[in-house]
Amino acid sequence: SSAVRLSSAFDSASRMSFYRALSKSLLRTMAAERAVVPWYHQEMQMTPFEQFCKANIYPLWFKYVKGPFERYQYEHMIAELRGHGLMLDDQLNDKEPVIERALELLPHDLIVGRYRRLMRAQEMMAKKLHLPLAEQNYDPMIPYMAPSIEEAKFQLQEEQELLQFHPWDRRLFSGHTTGLGESTPYSTFMTW
């Protein structure tokens, strides 16, 4: 019986040493793989053609094509907003969960002002009218909803953490997607 006990102890010791040796070899090979720096962390060397383009062509492209076009788009958007008496934040989609929550957090006077601006703009668009020039002298780019939007993001994230919903592989509320599973912007899929 002592021989049986001795042989079973020897078998378990040999099995342990095999698994220990296996784990050590796996760790050695994985350490070599982990030491490789991913391509997006490596410093990229530009070719001579890319250096030439960056030094000579891109400045001209931005100065004469991209810059003026973006300036035109910006000025056109400002003119449209002023013509109908709107702010940029008035155009945010109130069906998005973050904006919906932010509207609940807004002070009453801002909510009333937003509603009146939207109704006035709707009526003017229907009648094909614009605001008088004397009333168009304001800055439509003031982000009056920004503090409420940030607070809404924190509240929604806290609620999802309390519900134990952790999308670790996604960024929450980036751009027009919430990061909670939808694949198209403005589809407003949420967990509640």
Side-chain angles (χ1 to χ4, degrees):
S1 73
S2 63
V4 171
R5 262 187 270 140
L6 185 62
S7 68
S8 65
F10 179 74
D11 288 341
S12 65
S14 66
R15 267 189 250 122
M16 281 182 57
S17 65
F18 168 73
Y19 288 118
R20 176 177 281 171
L22 179 64
S23 62
K24 282 185 177 180
S25 67
L26 285 175
L27 285 174
R28 268 196 305 271
T29 57
M30 289 171 59
E33 290 175 9
R34 280 197 308 260
V36 175
V37 179
W39 64 269
Y40 47 85
H41 284 242
Q42 294 175 5
E43 189 173 347
M44 302 296 288
Q45 297 295 328
M46 294 192 342
T47 64
F49 178 72
E50 289 173 334
Q51 290 174 352
F52 173 79
C53 289
K54 185 176 182 183
N56 300 310
I57 296 175
Y58 290 165
L60 296 174
W61 167 259
F62 287 124
K63 184 175 182 181
Y64 295 111
V65 180
K66 193 171 192 296
F69 180 69
E70 288 183 355
R71 178 68 183 221
Y72 163 77
Q73 283 186 313
Y74 177 78
E75 296 291 344
H76 182 70
M77 179 177 63
I78 295 290
E80 285 286 319
L81 291 171
R82 284 182 177 162
H84 295 104
L86 290 171
M87 303 287 283
L88 184 68
D89 283 358
D90 294 340
Q91 295 191 318
L92 294 173
N93 182 9
D94 59 354
K95 303 297 184 282
E96 268 190 52
V98 179
I99 305 303
E100 189 178 359
R101 178 66 62 93
L103 287 172
E104 294 172 6
L105 298 172
L106 271 182
H108 182 70
D109 59 333
L110 290 180
I111 294 173
V112 170
R114 179 179 193 271
Y115 178 77
R116 288 180 179 169
R117 282 192 303 272
L118 287 170
M119 291 300 106
R120 178 180 62 186
Q122 189 69 35
E123 185 177 354
M124 284 194 302
M125 286 180 198
K127 294 178 179 178
K128 299 188 185 322
L129 297 174
H130 293 282
L131 274 182
L133 285 176
E135 295 182 29
Q136 292 187 24
N137 188 18
Y138 70 97
D139 183 12
M141 303 301 283
I142 297 172
Y144 69 92
M145 282 185 63
S148 301
I149 290 173
E150 292 304 311
E151 182 61 29
K153 289 179 186 178
F154 284 121
Q155 284 187 5
L156 290 173
Q157 192 167 359
E158 183 180 19
E159 288 175 12
Q160 286 145 12
E161 287 171 2
L162 291 173
L163 290 169
Q164 296 182 348
F165 185 86
H166 295 292
W168 300 120
D169 58 338
R170 300 185 186 92
R171 289 176 55 199
L172 286 178
F173 308 116
S174 167
H176 300 297
T177 55
T178 61
L180 300 173
E182 78 270 33
S183 56
T184 55
Y186 302 115
S187 62
T188 64
F189 169 78
M190 288 295 276
T191 55
W192 57 69

